Amino acid sequence: NLNQAMIDSIKKRVPETGIEVALYAMEPKTGKVLAVIGGKDYLKSAYNRATDSIRQPGSSIKPFLYLTALENGFTQATTFLSEETTFYINNKPYAPKNFQSIYPNTHISMVYAIATSDNIYAMKTHLFLGPNELVKTLKRFGFSGDIEPLPSLALGTSEVSLEELTTGYNTLANLGHYLEPCYITKITNFDNKILYEKKFNDGKEIANSSTVYLLNQAMTSIFDNAMTYNIRPTGGRIASMLHHKFAGKSGTTDTDNWMLGFNPDITIGVWTGYDDNRDITELTDLQFGKYLWADCIEGYLKNKDTKWYPRPNDVIQVDLNPMSGFYPSFTDYYKGLDFKINNIPWYIQLLYRRS
C-alpha cells in the first residue's frame, strides 16, 4: 500500500525540526493520482502543501530545459565548458554558481550535466536556445502562472506547486503524453449502481516519444555513482536503496528541497521545506526528502514486475564516456548513450554509416 509506505517513511525519516513535507504520486499511463500527502500531521495543520503551496523548484525544472534542447538538435553527448562563468545579459553581469562552487573546469556532456545538476551547462543551454523556448515548453507541459523568460528560469526561479511539477514529470513518464491528474475514477450509489466512471485515454501528445525517451535515459544517470568525477551525482546517496531503474531529478534552493522521479509504472514527487520560507540550514533537514522518495517508490513497486521503456526504432545506443560524450580511452568508465538515428554526432557517424 503506497499510502502506508508514505506514512511509515515520514515517521521514520522526517526530523523533529518543524520542517514540513509533501508527497504526490501518479500513475503514468492513466493519470490516476495514487496518493497525496499535504503535510506531516493533518491534526496540526490541514494545509495541503502538495496542491496549494507554490514554491521555487530549483534544479528540478531542468528536465524541461533539456527536453527543449533535445527538441532543438542537442544530443545526450552535446558538450559545453563548465567553469566559473559570468554572463552579461543586456550589459548586466549574472554569475550563477554550481553547488558548493564546484566546477569540472572541462567540457561536459548533457548526461553529466543532468547527473550532477551543473548550473553553468544549464545556463549556457538556456541562453543558447533563447529563454523564450523554455517558457513555451513549460506552458505546453501545463505549468500555470506568469512565467518570465529570465536567465534564472533555467535554475528554477518560477514558482510551481508539487502537483504541477509531478504532473509534468508524469508526462515524461508517459513518454510525452499529457494526462490531467485524475482523483476520482468511479462513483457508485449504495446499490453499487455506477453513477460516474472515468473514461481513460492515452492522453494528449505534447512531446515526441523518442525525444522523451532520450531525456528519460539521461535522467537515470543521477543514480550512477560510477559517474563521480569532481562531484557525486545528485541521487548517488540513495542509489543503493533502489532495486528498479528510475529516471529522476532533485532540486535545491535555500528554502526548498525537491526529489522527483519515475519509471513506466509510477511517478512520485517529494517536497520538503519550512512553511515560513526560512532557509534550510540544518544538515538533518537537507537530505531526507531523497530517502523518503526512495522508500515510497520502492515500497510501491515491491514484488511488482516492472519493465523499462523499450528503445524506439529510431534510436541507437553507443558506448561512450558519459562525462565527455566522446569515445572512452582504455581506462575510462563508459556506458550506453542514446541518439536519434537522424541526429548523431559526427564522430559516431564515421562508424555508423547506414547502408
Side-chain angles (χ1 to χ4, degrees):
N1 180 306
L2 178 61
N3 221 51
Q4 197 55 50
M6 287 181 165
I7 291 163
D8 292 346
S9 184
I10 288 172
K11 281 183 186 152
K12 178 176 159 191
R13 302 281 184 193
V14 181
E16 297 287 324
T17 53
I19 198 163
E20 266 299 345
V21 59
L23 299 97
Y24 197 97
M26 288 176 78
E27 187 172 64
K29 294 177 188 74
T30 61
K32 273 187 208 167
V33 177
L34 300 172
V36 181
I37 290 183
K40 59 185 181 183
D41 191 339
Y42 186 78
L43 297 176
K44 285 187 184 155
S45 162
Y47 181 57
N48 190 338
R49 294 159 189 81
T51 55
D52 301 340
S53 180
I54 308 288
R55 311 281 286 229
Q56 289 191 352
S59 292
S60 62
I61 209 71
K62 286 178 185 169
F64 304 101
L65 170 69
Y66 292 124
L67 180 68
T68 312
L70 290 164
E71 289 173 340
N72 282 280
F74 280 56
T75 72
Q76 289 186 0
T78 299
T79 59
F80 280 121
L81 174 61
S82 174
E83 60 185 5
E84 199 166 337
T85 308
T86 301
F87 299 91
Y88 288 87
I89 295 147
N90 301 329
N91 291 325
K92 291 194 178 83
Y94 176 56
K97 298 267 183 276
N98 268 1
F99 180 66
Q100 292 179 345
S101 294
I102 297 170
Y103 300 90
N105 294 315
T106 185
H107 291 266
I108 58 168
S109 75
M110 181 191 288
V111 167
Y112 190 77
I114 290 173
T116 58
S117 204
D118 192 284
N119 285 338
I120 302 301
Y121 188 104
M123 192 52 55
K124 287 186 175 180
T125 302
H126 185 48
L127 296 175
F128 183 89
L129 296 169
N132 275 314
E133 292 305 306
L134 179 54
V135 175
K136 285 188 223 160
T137 299
L138 293 173
K139 290 284 184 201
R140 184 174 22 133
F141 271 77
F143 288 90
S144 61
D146 190 16
I147 306 171
E148 298 277 334
L150 300 168
S152 60
L153 180 62
L155 307 182
T157 52
S158 188
E159 296 176 332
V160 299
S161 70
L162 180 62
E163 177 184 36
E164 253 181 346
L165 194 54
T166 309
T167 304
Y169 273 71
N170 200 64
T171 304
L172 300 176
N174 198 24
L175 291 177
H177 287 78
Y178 171 81
L179 290 160
E180 260 184 47
C182 165
Y183 290 92
I184 297 167
T185 52
K186 192 158 73 173
I187 300 170
T188 60
N189 65 11
F190 288 120
D191 303 326
N192 274 341
K193 186 177 173 214
I194 295 170
L195 306 176
Y196 164 83
E197 189 157 18
K198 165 84 175 167
K199 288 185 173 60
F200 290 104
N201 59 36
D202 294 338
K204 179 179 160 199
E205 187 182 348
I206 58 170
N208 173 277
S209 59
S210 297
T211 311
V212 177
Y213 174 84
L214 297 178
L215 175 71
N216 294 354
Q217 284 286 93
M219 287 169 66
T220 64
S221 290
I222 78 157
F223 305 113
D224 183 358
N225 278 314
M227 281 173 64
T228 304
Y229 168 73
N230 65 317
I231 191 169
R232 194 175 182 188
T234 54
R237 66 176 61 243
I238 57 169
S240 62
M241 298 169 64
L242 305 177
H243 310 298
H244 300 80
K245 186 173 177 177
F246 298 109
K249 187 77 193 71
S250 59
T252 309
T253 72
D254 290 341
T255 54
D256 303 85
N257 283 319
W258 306 77
M259 179 66 207
L260 294 100
F262 56 84
N263 75 355
D265 299 295
I266 185 168
T267 306
I268 295 184
V270 175
W271 166 85
T272 69
Y274 286 97
D275 284 343
D276 61 6
N277 252 344
R278 71 186 131 121
D279 284 5
I280 301 169
T281 52
E282 295 297 317
L283 211 56
T284 48
D285 290 352
L286 280 171
Q287 295 292 348
F288 74 90
K290 289 176 181 172
Y291 292 96
L292 265 180
W293 178 86
D295 285 346
C296 296
I297 206 155
E298 282 293 349
Y300 178 75
L301 294 171
K302 201 175 179 183
N303 304 325
K304 283 191 175 73
D305 181 31
T306 66
K307 289 183 175 59
W308 190 245
Y309 305 95
R311 186 175 305 131
N313 294 332
D314 59 346
V315 170
I316 61 164
Q317 191 171 77
V318 186
D319 284 342
L320 297 171
N321 174 326
M323 182 177 179
S324 68
F326 201 72
Y327 288 117
S329 68
F330 288 118
T331 54
D332 285 351
Y333 171 64
Y334 64 86
K335 67 191 289 185
L337 300 193
D338 294 85
F339 301 91
K340 278 200 186 176
I341 290 166
N342 64 3
N343 185 28
I344 50 181
W346 62 268
Y347 48 90
I348 296 170
Q349 276 177 352
L350 297 178
L351 289 187
Y352 279 82
R353 284 268 176 250
R354 297 188 67 214
S355 51

